[in-house]
């Protein structure tokens, strides 16, 4: 390709102390292409993009925009050069309206006064051009995650970016929202913009990317035409070994009931019933996959089961013990492991060390404590062993949990919860934000727990994950259980229809729960 790249990096290095997050990286990104950056968690993808968007300053190497070397010291400088980034964790002000968030920092003025009319007109033209349905007067706190992401995209387009960087953009989206986003990316590339997609989801890369660059441990492994590579080839290059996409499942052996939920109702702070008359049983040696579109009561159900949200009526029994109104600590002591949906809010104490987070559930029990005094050596030993077993990557276990990449934070939680050998494992989106190598590993750990006789309630928005792991599939819609069926008896399209509250066999969806 003879044309000048829209943006290019040459021999780029970013070091944090002695650790090189990016090591001699050279890549060229061209207009009119979707260029995917594929790599494991902690491979250095986001670090590289943070240098392109002015958030980090390189240790050495060059960044060229339209053939000219630039020195970026702030996100503002990157924006002025036409580089825009849609971050994995949205940079939005919840109390502001959609319009206010879009123009924030780039407000048009006339005679020193804010010209909202001009701003609205420009934003409305963008929405019309890309066929985006966004309420400009709604507050960010009141709109869905998918809608918030659209706001982030419009923010970048409003600033007239020629290079658009999407950092793990589908982590919190429904399948339909993901489809819509990929259409927008393709449209942006077709209009001559350079689109950079950071992801580890092979299905999305193969659906939208023209070119894929694979990064492993801070170094470029290969740059390929996406259409020329199979999913298996890409996964092998990313992880450095063959990845098994088909997990071997032993025959399902149902044991005694471990989790029994009877006519459960859960009401939120707004006095809205989020879980309605919910009845479900999970047996020892069984994985029950709860499938549903985000926002249909799954979060409230899991929080109620783990003592984080009060139950308004109904009963929860775990291993024969009534835990309906038990505290989170009592529920942990009763043998429940919990992988929460929000790792940063519910799973970790980010300023604390990896050691302290690994021991959160057992810090006051032997061997981590003796006569009320902490045994530091035991905590270090346990953390080193679990970090190795569950591949939690950090330069030091004395670093804060907040310094880990998102995927390594997730693996830390999974290591902690599964190491306690729980009777019941409640796993909510356990592989969100993980790469294929880590997903394969975590899926195997969940199957191992099931084969060892543990009960597993898997709540996931990834239909592939539910179908692959679950023995029994329970489908939730609007807080109600609408179907419970052996996994082998439901196709992916049938599950999708039930999730949307649709009929699959001539009956009302709710009737399938009987």
């Amino acid at each position: 390709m003879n044309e000048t790249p829209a943006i290019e990096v040459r021999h780029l290095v970013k070091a944090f102390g002695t650790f090189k997050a990016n090591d001699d990286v050279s890549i060229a990104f061209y207009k009119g292409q979707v260029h995917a950056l594929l790599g494991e968690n902690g491979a250095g993808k986001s670090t590289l993009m943070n240098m392109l968007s002015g958030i980090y300053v390189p240790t050495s190497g060059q960044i060229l925009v339209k053939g000219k070397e630039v020195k970026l010291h702030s996100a503002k400088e990157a924006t002025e050069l036409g580089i825009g980034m849609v971050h994995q964790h949205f940079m939005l002000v919840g109390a502001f309206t959609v319009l206010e968030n879009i123009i924030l920092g780039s407000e048009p003025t006339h005679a020193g006064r804010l010209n909202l009319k001009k701003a609205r007109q420009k934003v409305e033209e963008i929405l019309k051009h890309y066929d985006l349905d966004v309420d400009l007067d709604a507050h960010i706190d009141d709109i869905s995650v998918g809608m918030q992401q659209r706001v982030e995209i419009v923010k970048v387009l409003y600033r007239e970016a020629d290079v658009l960087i999407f950092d793990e953009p589908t982590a919190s989206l429904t399948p339909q929202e993901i489809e819509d986003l990929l259409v927008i990316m393709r449209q942006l590339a077709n209009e001559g913009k350079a689109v950079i997609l950071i992801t580890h989801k092979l299905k999305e890369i193969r659906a939208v990317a023209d070119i894929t660059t694979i990064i492993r441990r801070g170094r470029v492994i290969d740059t390929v035409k996406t259409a020329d590579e199979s999913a298996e080839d890409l996964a092998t290059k990313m992880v450095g070994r063959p990845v098994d996409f088909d997990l071997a499942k032993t025959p399902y052996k149902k044991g005694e009931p471990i989790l029994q939920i009877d006519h459960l109702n859960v009401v939120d702070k707004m006095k809205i019933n989020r879980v309605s008359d919910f009845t479900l049983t999970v047996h020892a040696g069984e994985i029950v996959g709860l499938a549903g579109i985000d926002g249909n009561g799954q979060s409230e159900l899991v929080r109620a089961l783990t003592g984080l949200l009060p139950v308004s009526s109904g009963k929860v029994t775990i291993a024969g013990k009534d835990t309906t109104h038990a505290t989170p600590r009592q529920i942990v002591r009763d043998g429940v492991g919990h992988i929460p949906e929000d790792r940063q809010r519910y799973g970790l104490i980010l300023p604390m060390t990896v050691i302290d987070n690994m021991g959160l559930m057992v810090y006051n029990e032997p061997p981590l404590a003796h006569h009320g005094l902490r045994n530091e050596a035991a905590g270090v030993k346990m953390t080193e062993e679990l970090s190795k077993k569950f591949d939690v990557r950090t330069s030091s276990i004395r670093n804060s949990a907040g310094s880990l990449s998102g995927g390594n934070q997730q693996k830390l939680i999974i290591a902690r919860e599964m190491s306690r050998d729980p009777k019941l494992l409640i796993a909510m989106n356990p592989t969100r934000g993980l790469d294929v190598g880590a997903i394969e590993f975590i899926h195997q750990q969940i199957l191992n727990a099931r084969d060892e006789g543990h009960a597993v309630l898997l709540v996931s928005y990834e239909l592939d994950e539910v179908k692959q792991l679950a023995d029994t599939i329970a489908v939730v819609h609007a807080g109600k259980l609408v179907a419970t069926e052996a996994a082998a008896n439901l196709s992916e399209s049938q599950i999708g229809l039930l999730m949307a509250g649709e009929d699959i066999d001539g009956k009302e969806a709710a009737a399938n729960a009987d």
Side-chain angles (χ1 to χ4, degrees):
M1 188 174 282
N2 295 321
E3 67 178 280
T4 304
I7 192 165
E8 183 180 5
V9 297
R10 293 179 186 170
H11 307 293
L12 214 59
V13 174
K14 180 60 181 175
F16 297 93
T18 57
F19 172 69
K20 288 183 180 178
N22 291 133
D23 188 3
D24 194 31
V25 173
S26 296
I27 314 172
F29 303 96
Y30 292 88
K31 287 188 175 184
Q33 289 184 342
V34 178
H35 192 137
L37 214 56
L38 176 67
E40 292 183 274
N41 299 111
K45 308 182 299 291
S46 294
T47 301
L48 177 61
M49 292 303 111
N50 281 331
M51 286 190 279
L52 293 189
S53 56
I55 295 168
Y56 288 164
V57 176
T59 305
S60 63
Q62 295 175 295
I63 298 173
L64 294 88
V65 176
K66 297 174 186 173
K68 293 181 180 177
E69 186 175 357
V70 297
K71 303 287 185 186
L72 301 174
H73 298 98
S74 69
K76 188 167 185 272
E77 287 180 15
T79 300
E80 287 168 357
L81 288 168
I83 304 163
M85 186 161 173
V86 178
H87 295 268
Q88 182 179 358
H89 300 290
F90 304 145
M91 307 290 188
L92 300 170
V93 182
F96 282 16
T97 67
V98 167
L99 180 61
E100 288 166 345
N101 270 277
I102 290 168
I103 68 172
L104 190 62
S106 298
E107 301 90 340
T109 56
H110 180 69
R113 299 181 67 180
L114 180 63
N115 190 341
L116 267 179
K117 185 179 178 182
K118 184 181 177 184
R120 179 180 285 270
Q121 188 178 352
K122 183 177 176 180
V123 172
E124 283 176 345
E125 285 170 5
I126 294 168
L127 296 179
K128 186 178 178 183
H129 182 74
Y130 291 99
D131 195 25
L132 293 169
D133 180 22
V134 181
D135 181 358
L136 295 180
D137 298 312
H139 286 85
I140 294 296
D141 283 340
D142 299 330
I143 62 176
S144 71
V145 172
M147 200 63 73
Q148 287 179 30
Q149 187 172 68
R150 290 183 182 190
V151 175
E152 284 279 17
I153 294 168
V154 177
K155 255 175 73 176
V156 172
L157 293 171
Y158 176 80
R159 286 156 181 74
E160 300 177 359
D162 297 315
V163 177
L164 289 94
I165 303 167
F166 292 85
D167 186 6
E168 301 284 3
T170 63
S172 304
L173 302 187
T174 65
Q176 183 56 51
E177 287 170 337
I178 291 170
E179 212 171 283
D180 292 344
L181 177 63
L182 298 184
V183 169
I184 292 169
M185 283 186 195
R186 189 73 262 159
Q187 185 180 350
L188 290 165
N190 291 344
E191 290 176 359
K193 296 186 186 296
V195 178
I196 303 173
L197 169 62
I198 307 172
T199 188
H200 53 256
K201 293 190 176 181
L202 298 173
K203 188 189 285 185
E204 291 160 21
I205 281 179
R206 289 176 56 74
V208 76
D210 303 296
I211 303 292
T212 300
T213 294
I214 300 102
I215 294 185
R216 192 192 318 145
R217 305 219 172 190
R219 287 180 165 267
V220 172
I221 299 301
D222 203 357
T223 295
V224 297
K225 280 189 176 179
T226 312
D228 294 346
E229 303 284 319
S230 68
E232 288 77 12
D233 291 338
L234 290 171
T236 299
K237 286 179 179 178
M238 174 169 73
V239 181
R241 60 175 175 80
V243 176
D244 188 1
F245 287 94
D246 298 312
L247 289 170
K249 275 177 79 173
T250 57
Y252 161 45
K253 296 174 186 173
K254 186 192 282 189
E256 62 181 1
I258 297 294
L259 172 65
Q260 292 173 283
I261 307 170
D262 297 308
H263 303 288
L264 196 71
N265 288 278
V266 180
V267 176
D268 69 9
K269 292 182 203 168
M270 309 292 290
K271 306 299 180 192
I272 297 169
N273 212 32
R274 295 296 183 186
V275 178
S276 300
D277 197 33
F278 197 99
T279 298
L280 181 69
T281 301
V282 185
H283 298 82
E286 177 184 33
I287 298 174
V288 173
L290 190 64
I293 296 168
D294 188 6
N296 276 263
Q298 302 98 310
S299 300
E300 290 80 7
L301 173 67
V302 169
R303 277 185 247 159
L305 295 179
T306 53
L308 297 171
L309 202 61
V311 170
S312 55
S313 65
K315 187 177 180 182
V316 179
T317 308
I318 296 172
K321 186 172 181 179
D322 186 347
T323 60
T324 311
H325 301 293
T327 65
R329 177 168 288 281
Q330 288 169 330
I331 291 166
V332 165
R333 294 247 166 96
D334 288 334
V336 176
H338 176 210
I339 301 167
E341 62 177 320
D342 188 331
R343 54 181 166 248
Q344 296 191 348
R345 188 173 176 188
Y346 297 113
L348 299 167
I349 302 174
L350 297 176
M352 283 171 48
T353 65
V354 173
I355 300 169
D356 289 338
N357 274 279
M358 197 70 87
L360 267 182
M361 303 303 178
V362 290
Y363 68 91
N364 56 347
E365 299 172 10
L368 298 193
H370 185 64
H371 297 307
L373 295 175
R374 286 184 61 182
N375 184 337
E376 180 77 13
V380 168
K381 183 171 182 269
M382 180 187 79
T383 305
E384 285 176 343
E385 288 173 356
L386 290 176
S387 294
K388 186 177 179 183
K389 182 179 177 183
F390 287 85
D391 193 30
V392 182
R393 296 180 193 174
T394 175
S395 55
S396 169
I397 58 173
R398 298 184 189 280
N399 287 347
S400 70
S403 70
L404 301 182
S405 70
N408 282 306
Q409 289 177 2
Q410 187 78 346
K411 286 190 275 189
L412 193 165
I413 294 166
I414 289 166
R416 182 185 69 210
E417 297 303 311
M418 298 189 80
S419 68
R420 294 188 298 108
D421 203 25
K423 296 173 194 168
L424 169 67
L425 177 66
I426 300 174
M428 188 154 187
N429 294 316
T431 59
R432 175 179 280 179
L434 298 186
D435 56 69
V436 287
I439 289 169
E440 176 197 29
F441 179 80
I442 298 307
H443 282 179
Q444 193 57 60
Q445 297 303 311
I446 290 171
L447 283 178
N448 290 348
R450 168 250 208 196
D451 293 345
E452 289 163 10
H454 304 291
V456 180
L457 177 62
L458 169 70
V459 185
S460 177
Y461 303 140
E462 301 278 354
L463 267 187
D464 291 349
E465 184 165 70
V466 173
K467 279 290 286 178
Q468 193 170 21
L469 291 177
D471 303 298
T472 305
I473 293 177
V475 184
V476 63
H477 173 71
K480 294 180 180 177
L481 192 66
V482 296
T484 307
E485 188 65 72
N489 296 345
L490 284 175
S491 69
E492 208 164 296
S493 61
Q494 285 176 316
I495 298 167
L497 285 169
L498 289 164
M499 284 164 58
E502 299 289 335
D503 176 18
I504 60 167
D505 58 3
K507 301 174 190 171
E508 287 296 316
N512 291 307
D514 296 336

